Amino acid sequence: MLIEIAGLTKSYATREGLNVEALAPLSFTVREGEFLTIVGPSGCGKSTLLKIIAGTLRRSAGSVRLQGRAIDGPSRDIGMVFQSPVLLPWRTIEENVLLPIEIQRQDVRNHRARAADLFRLVGIEGFERKYPKELSGGMQQRVGIIRALIHDPAVLLLDEPFGALDAMTREHMNLELLRIWKDAGKTIILVTHSIPEAIFLADRVIVMSARPGRIAEVIEVDLTRPRRLDMINSDPFGDYVRRVRGHFGSHGGLDA
Amino acid sequence: MNEIAQALPATRNPTWLWAHRQWALSALIFVLFIGLWEGGVRLFDVPSLVLPPPSAVLKSLAASLSSGQLTRHIWATGLEVIGGFALGGGFGFLLGCLIGRFPILEQTIYPYVVAFQTVPKVALAPLIVIWFGFGLSSKIVTAATICFFPVIANTLVGLRVTPADQVEMMAAFTASRSQIFWKARLPHALPYIFAGLDIGVVLSVIGAIVGEFVGAQAGLGYMILQRQFTMDIAGVFAILVILSIFGMALHALMRWLQRKVVFWIHEDDDRIVGA
Ligand SMILES: Nc1ncnc2c1ncn2[C@@H]1O[C@H](COP(=O)(O)OP(=O)(O)OP(=O)(O)O)[C@@H](O)[C@H]1O
Ligand SMILES: [Mg+2]
């Protein structure tokens, strides 16, 4: 198992001194090369979970292991994509993408070629010398994705990466992400609000319920690869959607 | 074509005068002010010992400049201002960075900085002259002590405004504290630091003049005292004009530098800012 999470809990101390329990004891594993999606209503602790795996947030109890080693801080084996692109406005797109290389004190020049490949992969070649605000939201989000890939991490974590995009761009980005996953052989954990997106991308879907966040069900998605957009209209796909939505009732706060 | 499209032409194509309206207006205000001053002084026959007309100030300014009488003093004050600004601004910036980088210093050193700031610097000037003599160095130190605080205070505020998501992003890519400082916090602080430097450079002019008032052998402040002594009031005004041109030039220089350095913050001409 690439990632093993056992008995993980998290409570936040609020300003009034009370503890907010964000994650109830949570256990699951992630296989190497797996595409795992996490879907759940707002506030159920999805970002919290991802931040703990990324090593930027302390857990309250339990253990998180990556390749057998306990995670107690950010790791070079992990690449993180945030809900908003979080680019540095004074850096060009290429400089933004190469930021992890710089931080990890690897040779920036040797990674230019890899950056160029990645720019081609997500279709924003020619924008390397531009600044973030010269790009559209969707383009910036792609920059965020290849920044997470540049140092070739084994695991890619994505926190609602396409939440701000329109439906068309979003479908396009989903296909691109699947292509990256297949080409680069990464393990991916992706958090989303969208039930169809969670099913379309995943080998397995973890359905979380609010609060404190618990695992309501883990669903193996048995649709053929490579996934095609027309599968969304197929009967098996509809069954999966109904099964996930069953956990949230009519007021689920999720995108169907 | 709907109404909004009519109200907002695709690109702006203003007349030359409209495009430069703030300049035109500002020039108009200047001319009006000078005209009122000149006219008022003549009309009410104000003695030029009290308030000389602008024409007399201009005459005195031209005379002092063409005779080269002021050259030495302009240089002296210029050096004091630049030296004081470099010393006080540089020190304020460096100490601000140190305190911002190592939070423990904020509790241990910064209270003393604030305590020092509560002492009126102008009141220190006589002591500074005693310690550093009547020459250049005492004025540089006076100017430095005055322009130091706005720079350090702004540096510290600027270092605090880094968006949390950027810090988290850097941390997720295994950045160290010092990498986060250099690659995110300091660039974010630059607009604030430049605001501090802009205030500081103007304050260092004040500092240099105060230093010269207390005791000097050269400089524009020294010349103000000399001319006051001989009741050359138009001459005093002429020096005030030079000083304000000096201050404006330094201010413009800082603005220009800020635009060059903080290039990623500039208003788009195409954006609609508000009705
Ligand atoms: N820094 C914090 N301090 C206190 N409570 C927090 C903090 N961050 C999150 N929480 C609480 O923890 C719970 C889970 O938050 P989290 O951001 O993980 O939710 P989420 O599932 O990512 O929601 P969304 O889908 O809206 O992004 C929420 O109830 C929130 O109020
Ligand atoms: Mg979230």
Side-chain angles (χ1 to χ4, degrees):
Chain A
M1 284 299 143
L2 187 68
I3 298 174
E4 294 161 277
I5 292 169
L8 176 66
T9 67
K10 172 71 193 177
S11 18
Y12 288 103
T14 60
R15 244 179 296 189
E16 299 87 43
L18 299 168
N19 271 353
V20 176
E21 204 183 355
L23 295 178
L26 207 73
S27 303
F28 63 93
T29 57
V30 187
R31 295 187 292 263
E32 181 146 14
E34 182 172 18
F35 201 132
L36 181 79
T37 58
I38 300 174
V39 65
S42 184
C44 75
K46 305 180 297 292
S47 296
T48 302
L49 174 60
L50 225 53
K51 284 177 192 175
I52 292 174
I53 299 174
T56 56
L57 185 68
R58 284 198 184 82
R59 59 187 184 274
S60 300
S63 74
V64 180
R65 293 178 161 276
L66 175 65
Q67 292 162 335
R69 282 176 285 113
I71 289 185
D72 47 11
S75 157
R76 294 182 179 202
D77 295 325
I78 288 175
M80 178 93 180
V81 181
F82 302 85
Q83 185 159 5
S84 64
V86 203
L87 305 176
L88 301 177
W90 51 86
R91 286 177 165 252
T92 63
I93 297 306
E94 185 179 42
E95 287 166 346
N96 266 289
V97 166
L98 289 168
L99 181 68
I101 299 300
E102 238 180 274
I103 288 174
Q104 296 169 9
R105 299 189 202 285
Q106 301 184 49
D107 190 347
V108 170
R109 255 182 305 160
N110 288 346
H111 284 79
R112 288 252 156 76
R114 177 171 168 74
D117 286 344
L118 289 169
F119 279 118
R120 255 193 309 279
L121 187 67
V122 299
I124 49 171
E125 68 268 40
F127 287 87
E128 292 88 339
R129 306 257 175 281
K130 301 251 188 261
Y131 287 90
K133 70 170 181 188
E134 298 173 274
L135 270 62
S136 74
M139 291 160 87
Q140 292 187 24
Q141 200 57 38
R142 285 178 238 194
V143 176
I145 291 174
I146 60 180
R147 179 182 57 194
L149 289 168
I150 186 78
H151 58 297
D152 202 16
V155 181
L156 197 57
L157 305 177
L158 303 101
D159 189 358
E160 291 181 39
F162 311 130
L165 303 183
D166 64 278
M168 295 266 291
T169 314
R170 191 165 182 159
E171 286 176 350
H172 177 67
M173 297 292 292
N174 280 340
L175 291 172
E176 263 175 27
L177 185 62
L178 283 174
R179 207 176 65 223
I180 292 169
W181 172 67
K182 187 170 140 282
D183 290 354
K186 308 266 172 232
T187 305
I188 294 185
I189 304 179
L190 178 140
V191 162
T192 177
H193 268 141
S194 157
I195 297 175
E197 184 174 84
I199 294 165
F200 180 72
L201 295 171
D203 295 320
R204 274 192 308 160
V205 180
I206 290 186
V207 184
M208 285 180 71
S209 64
R211 308 191 247 159
R214 285 174 295 102
I215 295 182
E217 191 183 355
V218 180
I219 300 173
E220 294 271 350
V221 180
D222 210 3
L223 299 169
T224 53
R225 301 265 186 196
R227 305 269 159 92
R228 295 183 321 274
L229 284 177
D230 56 24
M231 287 179 179
I232 292 174
N233 303 317
S234 69
D235 285 341
F237 196 93
D239 292 340
Y240 283 121
V241 171
R242 266 187 295 283
R243 193 162 148 199
V244 174
R245 198 178 301 126
H247 289 279
F248 303 114
S250 54
H251 62 283
L254 288 176
D255 312 339
Chain B
M1 195 194 257
N2 62 30
E3 267 173 56
I4 293 174
Q6 274 171 356
L8 291 173
T11 49
R12 284 184 164 194
N13 187 17
T15 63
W16 184 87
L17 195 64
W18 180 250
H20 297 83
R21 63 193 180 284
Q22 67 271 54
W23 294 102
L25 207 67
S26 150
L28 190 71
I29 290 170
F30 180 76
V31 168
L32 242 126
F33 175 74
I34 297 294
L36 276 176
W37 180 356
E38 182 84 41
V41 167
R42 282 173 195 239
L43 192 65
F44 300 108
D45 215 11
V46 182
S48 66
L49 266 184
V50 178
L51 183 66
S55 53
V57 173
L58 192 69
K59 222 179 288 167
S60 166
L61 183 65
S64 330
L65 286 180
S66 60
S67 73
Q69 185 200 6
L70 283 182
T71 315
R72 176 169 84 90
H73 303 288
I74 290 176
W75 273 108
T77 301
L79 274 179
E80 291 159 10
V81 170
I82 306 286
F85 174 63
L87 188 68
F91 193 58
F93 170 68
L94 287 180
L95 195 60
C97 284
L98 264 177
I99 292 176
R101 170 69 183 80
F102 301 104
I104 178 145
L105 299 179
E106 175 128 30
Q107 280 102 51
T108 52
I109 290 186
Y110 198 54
Y112 294 109
V113 174
V114 175
F116 176 67
Q117 171 61 10
T118 59
V119 179
K121 297 304 147 354
V122 175
L124 280 183
L127 285 175
I128 292 174
V129 169
I130 290 176
W131 292 333
F132 291 89
F134 286 85
L136 201 66
S137 46
S138 63
K139 283 78 198 172
I140 290 184
V141 171
T142 308
T145 54
I146 293 186
C147 82
F148 163 76
F149 194 75
V151 178
I152 190 174
N154 274 276
T155 304
L156 279 173
V157 171
L159 287 173
R160 265 193 287 253
V161 298
T162 329
D165 57 353
Q166 297 198 353
V167 174
E168 192 184 339
M169 180 273 290
M170 303 263 308
F173 289 113
T174 72
S176 64
R177 272 170 197 274
S178 99
Q179 284 176 324
I180 291 175
F181 179 85
W182 290 108
K183 292 180 200 293
R185 296 181 60 205
L186 192 55
H188 264 294
L190 282 175
Y192 292 80
I193 294 171
F194 270 102
L197 290 174
D198 198 8
I199 302 168
V201 80
V202 175
L203 285 184
S204 65
V205 178
I206 296 176
I209 298 302
V210 166
E212 290 175 9
F213 278 179
V214 175
Q217 291 132 351
L220 292 172
Y222 165 81
M223 279 310 286
I224 288 181
L225 292 186
Q226 294 287 302
R227 288 181 172 182
Q228 182 218 25
F229 192 67
T230 58
M231 292 295 183
D232 178 10
I233 304 305
V236 171
F237 270 95
I239 292 176
L240 293 185
V241 171
I242 297 177
L243 279 175
S244 78
I245 289 173
F246 206 70
M248 284 190 292
L250 289 172
H251 170 70
L253 182 72
M254 293 316 295
R255 286 283 298 266
W256 177 81
L257 251 182
Q258 148 148 33
R259 270 160 199 268
K260 287 282 153 209
V261 177
V262 194
F263 64 91
W264 62 93
I265 300 179
H266 71 85
E267 280 110 68
D268 287 332
D269 256 359
D270 299 342
R271 189 153 350 157
I272 290 128
V273 183

